[in-house]
């Protein structure tokens, strides 16, 4: 029995050490302070989520910019190469049969160079816009250089093609330069 009394002394009835009051030194927080902490927590959570969204948007924008630079980065060089293409094409168009026969190796060299230039264009996503006489004028792809009334044509019909246009993937690199009929329909 003496042991039982000894155990009772170790564990007081109220569960606190002798002389200690419940929650001694701990004052309950005021409700306002708890609400402030919750508001601060919610604000920090909101700011964190916005920062995560900003980082994700920046990553996506960077990826899109990288793809565009890869796909369209050579557009300035491609645009600068178009006059070379035009000049080679014109050289072949103006060569007469006599000149072709007399300068066969030269003409073949120009044709091969033009073919290789077309292959390089195709390899890099540059495709020609080659309207034909009689096609309908499309202001998204064609540039009207002049208008003229031509019999047996409708207004807005292409009557002459001066230069081919080119697309770089899905973007217009240069519109085709054309003459358009102004004959009233």
């Amino acid at each position: 029995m003496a042991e039982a009394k000894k155990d009772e002394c170790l564990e007081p009835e109220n569960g606190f050490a002798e002389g200690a009051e419940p929650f001694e030194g701990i004052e309950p927080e005021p409700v306002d302070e708890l609400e402030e902490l919750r508001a601060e927590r919610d604000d920090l959570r909101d700011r964190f989520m916005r920062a995560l969204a900003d980082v994700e948007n920046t990553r996506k924008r960077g990826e899109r910019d990288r793809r565009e630079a890869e796909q369209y980065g050579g557009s300035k060089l491609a645009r600068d190469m178009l006059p070379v293409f035009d000049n080679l094409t014109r050289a072949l168009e103006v060569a007469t049969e006599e000149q072709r026969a007399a300068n066969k190796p030269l003409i073949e060299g120009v044709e091969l160079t033009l073919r290789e230039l077309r292959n390089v264009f195709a390899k890099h996503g540059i495709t020609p816009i080659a309207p034909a006489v009689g096609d309908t004028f499309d202001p998204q792809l064609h540039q009207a250089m002049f208008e003229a009334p031509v019999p047996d044509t409708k207004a807005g019909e292409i009557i002459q093609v001066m230069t081919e246009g080119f697309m770089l993937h899905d973007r217009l690199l240069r519109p085709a330069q054309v003459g358009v009929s102004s004959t009233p329909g």
Side-chain angles (χ1 to χ4, degrees), residues 13-24:
E13 280 180 33
N14 62 10
F16 295 101
E18 283 185 40
E21 291 296 316
F23 305 107
E24 185 178 308

Side-chain angles (χ1 to χ4, degrees), residues 21 38 59 66 85 105 121 150:
E21 291 296 316
R38 285 185 179 142
R59 185 191 66 74
R66 184 195 61 76
F85 175 86
F121 281 176
V150 176

Side-chain angles (χ1 to χ4, degrees), residues 41-171:
R41 177 201 66 198
D42 292 345
D43 180 55
L44 289 172
R45 180 181 295 144
D46 182 56
R47 289 171 51 193
F48 175 73
M49 296 306 284
R50 288 177 190 271
L52 280 177
D54 284 345
V55 167
E56 183 63 18
N57 289 340
T58 301
R59 185 191 66 74
K60 287 178 182 176
R61 189 177 317 111
E63 180 65 24
R64 185 186 68 233
D65 290 348
R66 184 195 61 76
R67 277 193 317 269
E68 283 188 8
E70 187 176 289
Q71 202 166 30
Y72 302 110
S75 63
K76 187 172 178 356
L77 175 63
R79 207 172 280 117
D80 290 345
M81 292 300 295
L82 295 181
V84 174
F85 175 86
D86 294 338
N87 290 334
L88 290 171
T89 303
R90 275 190 223 109
L92 291 174
E93 288 173 356
V94 299
T96 64
E97 287 304 317
E98 287 177 2
Q99 291 171 332
R100 285 181 179 270
N103 300 305
K104 188 174 180 177
L106 177 64
I107 298 296
E108 285 178 2
V110 173
E111 287 172 343
L112 288 171
T113 303
L114 186 59
R115 189 176 319 137
E116 184 62 26
L117 188 57
R118 283 183 189 270
N119 290 339
V120 169
F121 281 176
K123 178 180 173 185
H124 293 280
I126 301 170
T127 54
I129 301 170
V133 172
D135 288 351
T136 303
F137 176 76
D138 180 355
Q140 300 295 318
L141 301 174
H142 308 136
Q143 179 180 6
M145 301 307 289
F146 68 90
E147 282 187 305
V150 176
D152 299 325
T153 62
K154 293 184 248 174
E157 206 171 89
I158 295 174
I159 55 175
Q160 183 181 356
V161 179
M162 282 152 304
T163 60
E164 287 184 58
F166 289 91
M167 298 285 290
L168 177 59
H169 300 289
D170 59 344
R171 290 187 184 170

